[in-house]
Amino acid sequence: VLLHLAANWCHWCHVMEEKTYHHPKVVQYLNQNFIVCTEDHDQRPDLANKYRDYGWPATIIFSYDGKEIFKQAGYIKADDFLDILKKAKTGKLTLEQNQQNQPSTDISDKEQRVNFHAIKKDVMSGIDIQAGGFNSAQKSLDFEMFEYALNHSNNDTLKKWLEVSVKNSLQLMDKAWGGIYQYSTHGDWQHAHYEKLLSVQARYIKMYLWYFYLSNDSTYFRAALKNYDYVKRFFKKKDNSFANAQDADLIKGEKAHDYFLLSDLERLKLGLPAIDTNAFTDNNSKMIESLIYLYAYTGHKEYLDDAMHAAEYIMKNRKREDGFYNHSYNNDITVAIVDQIYFAKSLLLLYRTIGVERYAEEGKKLLDQMIQKFVSANGVMSYLPIANYIYPDCIVSENIETARILNLYGKIFHTTEWIDKAKDILKYLLSNQVYDKIIIEPGILSLKEEIEKEPYFGLYMVKDMSKKNYELHRQLLQVPIFYFFNYLMISMNVLKEKEDVWEAFDENVIVFCTSSFCSSPMRSGTDIKNFVYSKF
């Protein structure tokens, strides 16, 4: 059995489909000897996570009894492919099977400390201080690394890396349309792969706005706006959801380098690269977050409206008994953890923005469901298991994101079960078995730091609603920190644990608090920024 796992926006997938899978000898041999399956990796997060190996297409060959005997990422020429097929058929390819062996979490505190410091060392040695990004052939701006560097920008090395990486990432922006290409090759930022993914656009919008907060350089503010202009033009759908991606090729399988050098009008005369109109829950949730930050930084309500409409679309069209599923065309496919994680994040940010309890309650229900259905003894499963189906893996990045959102919700809503689960997941992530298979995971460092401390609550206490400052409320939303919760407190919704703080003031003020500390009162955006710079 042969599985061709590809992405519909991927240039090398198109090349392999055109040059390899249409080669007459390959076609004849496959027809005579194989059952051939092709799947879109965006539509199948279960398969994508299982066979993700830093690039597409992925080629997997199974024996007649379902055992993997070959897997490889990337384009394979027809002659080489035919040789692989023949070796597989004649039993000359073998692959050790260990997908059922889940790692143990039974490790000592000493091992955890060793792994934490080892991970931190790997992160610092894995970044490219001179060119930015990681020390790899592919250049892009990873959000978890960006976030870790932003939170530790008092470190000179990380501050320099952050400045270089963000600046160089602008070279990935399409000069005619806006929008960020997925990555560059050749170890620099000048050899872009031209596909544009919704998730990538959402990521860069948020990063550019957060870096603008830190640097006060309006270049990045404008870049975030230009990015969303592209999204709105090409990805926004009439049903208020967002499409998934735009193809790297105008003509599938042919490099489009010259096309992307053209102006807008010149491109339109030739046509448009195909748009994948599937609206995926995880990527739409990421765009909801970025839209809320656009609202926070601009004050333009249309961004908030777009975010709310997209959230309502997901709640109306993607919900079923076992969670939120990926998109409407695959309602029969198992529910994946990534959709639950990122929608829970967007619901919490919506609650922080407009204070509607329904968003918070939906998020809490989602977390309970995640714990009941996805959290196993050995970490978080990638998707719900089904009898006679591919057994779910525990994907490191998904475990990090799940633990971070469980910990934040737990600290905000005082739910120890969620916090305890986050701690269990961290223990799994610091196990030797996980460490042996990761490369660079700065998210583990962020998770450990968050578990070990309280988040700050930014409380805007409004005693006189006629004097409520909406701009000041938005400036609380601008704080470029995930591990933070802002709250609009009026007489009707005073937090019980903050009643003494509420009673201490007769005017509208902002204070930053933990369970044992509250800042001096703040009355301006400058006060907020000064506190953020000094404490975060």
Side-chain angles (χ1 to χ4, degrees), residues 295 386 428 475:
Y295 162 72
I386 297 177
Y428 159 74
Q475 287 174 331

Side-chain angles (χ1 to χ4, degrees), residues 7 55 59 107 129 141 152 158 203 237 324 361 400 446 507:
T59 303
I107 56 174
I129 305 297
L141 192 51
H152 297 82
L158 289 173
R203 179 172 100 218
K237 300 168 67 176
F324 290 89
E361 293 306 313
I400 294 170
S446 298
E507 59 178 326

Side-chain angles (χ1 to χ4, degrees), residues 212-229:
F212 166 64
Y213 191 99
L214 178 70
S215 67
N216 205 34
D217 186 338
S218 60
T219 301
Y220 302 103
F221 178 76
R222 293 193 299 271
L225 297 181
K226 188 174 181 181
N227 234 28
Y228 186 63
D229 286 344

